[in-house]
């Protein structure tokens, strides 16, 4: 699991910026990042999305997709019982085929974390690299409209309850107003709130809410900002705003991660979330990851799908490949 990095976010930012960390230098750096050729980006994404894969590769890809899913329920009507059902599906996605892999994590609201941890039992990763993680959304998800004190309490409460990962939202109003230092400081503070008693940290996924950022250039700047501030993952969306994840947006974020790795040697994760419902679409993302940052990123600590209905479609496709025919939609559970 994540431990404290060799340098603090502020020190890392100074190394990258080549100057003192101030609002002015941060703004100058982020606004100096080259703009994105929107047409070129969308053409690259479309080209990657049309790649075909062989049947043997498809079987591998379907299993890989399952292993990369954050199985999610984020509804106001969520109950402990619904979370227990979600965990049961995470542990045994297809009871008729025990070779089906488990998902990477379950993702719930902070107050549901204790129920997820309890339901996972010995299968909970609990700060190790084995088992299923519990991810919690925090920082006044999905709007992010709360005081910093509330956001930090939201985060620390979820970590104390056993969350292995925190999915935070940035203040999009501050970002779009050019208050990059405020966004940076908030991410740093939330990262510190992810610290456990033993000094290790819960993984921090930083949700950009790309549907509200309006341009690919803003997505690129927000990605750099989140990484500079110490995010372990950059995540497209809450799933509550349209558009959510798109292939061009995810490609632009993967390119930032690629460039960051070339610059620092550090690997940052990417999580597209919202709107990815079919295995066909998910395979496009798998191909895009492999072609942009390499197959080594196709691991749960470096790439995730935030999804609820995607798993069912993948299970139906797996059954089709094994039996030669499609099962009915009622073959898989709704939760």
């Amino acid at each position: 699991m994540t431990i404290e990095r060799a340098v603090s976010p502020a020190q890392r930012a100074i190394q990258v910026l080549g100057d003192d960390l101030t609002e002015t230098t941060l703004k100058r750096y982020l606004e100096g990042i080259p703009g994105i050729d929107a047409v070129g980006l969308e053409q690259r994404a479309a080209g990657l999305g049309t790649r075909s894969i062989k049947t043997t590769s498809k079987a591998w890809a379907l299993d890989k997709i399952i292993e990369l899913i954050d199985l999610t329920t984020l509804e106001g009507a969520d109950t402990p019982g619904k979370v227990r059902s979600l965990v049961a599906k995470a542990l045994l996605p297809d009871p008729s085929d025990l070779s089906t892999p488990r998902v990477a994590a379950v993702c719930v609201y902070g107050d549901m974390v204790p129920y997820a941890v309890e339901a996972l039992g010995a299968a909970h990763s609990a700060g190790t690299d084995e088992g299923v993680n519990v991810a919690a959304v925090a920082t006044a998800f999905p709007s992010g409209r709360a005081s910093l004190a509330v956001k930090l309490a939201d985060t620390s409460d979820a970590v104390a309850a056993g969350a292995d990962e925190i999915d935070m939202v940035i203040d999009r109003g501050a970002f779009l107003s050019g208050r990059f230092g405020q966004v940076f400081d908030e991410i740093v503070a939330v990262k510190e709130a992810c610290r456990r008693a033993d000094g290790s940290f819960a993984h921090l996924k930083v949700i950009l809410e790309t549907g509200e950022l309006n341009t690919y250039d803003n997505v690129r700047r927000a990605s750099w900002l989140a990484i500079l501030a110490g995010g372990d993952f950059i995540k497209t969306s809450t799933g509550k705003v349209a558009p959510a994840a798109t292939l061009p947006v995810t490609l632009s974020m993967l390119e930032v991660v690629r460039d960051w790795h070339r610059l620092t040697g550090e690997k940052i994760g990417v999580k597209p979330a919202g709107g990815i419902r079919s295995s066909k679409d998910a395979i496009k993302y798998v191909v895009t990851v492999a072609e942009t940052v390499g197959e080594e990123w196709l691991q749960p600590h470096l790439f995730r799908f935030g999804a609820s209905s995607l798993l069912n479609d993948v299970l139906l496709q797996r059954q089709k490949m094994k039996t030669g025919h499609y099962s009915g939609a009622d073959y898989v559970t709704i939760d």
Side-chain angles (χ1 to χ4, degrees), residues 20-325:
D20 290 339
L21 178 59
T22 66
E23 179 75 55
T24 300
T25 57
L26 191 59
K27 190 179 184 72
R28 183 188 307 127
Y29 182 83
L30 293 174
E31 292 184 344
I33 293 172
I36 290 179
D37 173 3
V39 173
L41 177 72
E42 290 171 356
Q43 287 178 342
R44 291 197 303 278
L48 290 166
T50 58
R51 298 276 180 91
S52 60
I53 60 175
K54 298 177 181 178
T55 301
T56 52
S57 298
K58 184 177 180 182
W60 171 86
L62 292 175
D63 279 1
K64 178 58 65 176
I65 290 165
I66 296 173
E67 294 172 358
L68 299 174
I69 287 177
D70 282 358
L71 192 58
T72 301
T73 182
L74 295 170
E75 303 298 335
D78 284 345
T79 63
K82 184 175 183 181
V83 170
R84 292 187 190 102
S85 296
L86 189 79
V87 169
K89 184 159 188 172
L91 294 175
L92 192 62
D94 185 351
S96 71
D97 184 354
L98 300 183
S99 71
T100 308
R102 292 175 172 177
V103 302
V106 292
C107 184
V108 297
Y109 277 111
D111 63 326
M112 294 288 112
V113 169
Y115 304 107
V117 170
E118 179 186 26
L120 282 169
H124 179 212
S125 65
T128 70
D129 291 325
E130 301 296 330
V132 176
N133 285 358
V134 176
V137 294
T139 65
F141 176 97
S143 70
R145 299 259 57 90
S147 69
L148 180 59
V150 168
K151 294 178 182 180
L152 297 181
D154 196 15
T155 301
S156 57
D157 284 353
V159 174
D164 307 289
E165 305 168 7
I166 294 295
D167 290 31
M168 70 165 287
V169 290
I170 66 167
D171 185 332
R172 284 86 75 191
F175 178 85
L176 291 170
S177 299
R179 301 196 305 274
F180 300 142
Q182 178 182 331
V183 179
F184 180 96
D185 289 344
E186 191 166 289
I187 297 170
V188 171
V190 174
K191 178 70 176 182
E192 184 58 32
C194 290
R195 186 192 294 269
R196 304 187 186 96
D198 65 0
S200 64
F201 288 77
H203 273 192
L204 180 61
K205 306 195 201 88
V206 182
I207 305 171
L208 309 181
E209 198 65 294
T210 54
E212 292 184 341
L213 297 187
N214 303 323
T215 69
Y216 294 129
D217 287 347
N218 277 339
V219 171
R220 176 176 281 180
R221 290 191 192 101
S223 298
W224 275 98
L225 181 58
I227 295 171
L228 282 167
D232 300 298
F233 263 75
I234 48 175
K235 176 178 173 181
T236 61
S237 326
T238 62
K240 306 296 184 182
V241 170
T246 68
L247 200 58
V249 160
T250 303
L251 174 58
S252 72
M253 293 166 68
L254 287 165
E255 289 175 344
V256 171
V257 164
R258 178 199 62 201
D259 294 345
W260 178 262
H261 181 249
R262 289 174 178 172
L263 180 66
T264 69
E266 186 177 28
K267 296 176 181 177
I268 301 297
V270 177
K271 178 180 174 180
I276 305 172
R277 298 183 176 87
S278 72
S279 56
K280 182 179 179 180
D281 284 342
I283 287 173
K284 294 178 183 179
Y285 283 83
V286 169
V287 170
T288 300
V289 171
E291 293 292 329
T292 307
V293 288
E295 288 189 16
E296 62 187 308
W297 249 263
L298 292 171
Q299 304 177 62
H301 69 284
L302 290 174
F303 190 79
R304 299 283 183 85
F305 291 103
S308 52
S309 59
L310 172 61
L311 178 58
N312 280 352
D313 188 72
V314 176
L315 293 177
L316 291 173
Q317 294 296 327
R318 277 183 101 253
Q319 293 161 9
K320 166 66 164 53
M321 292 194 71
K322 287 179 177 291
T323 66
H325 61 271

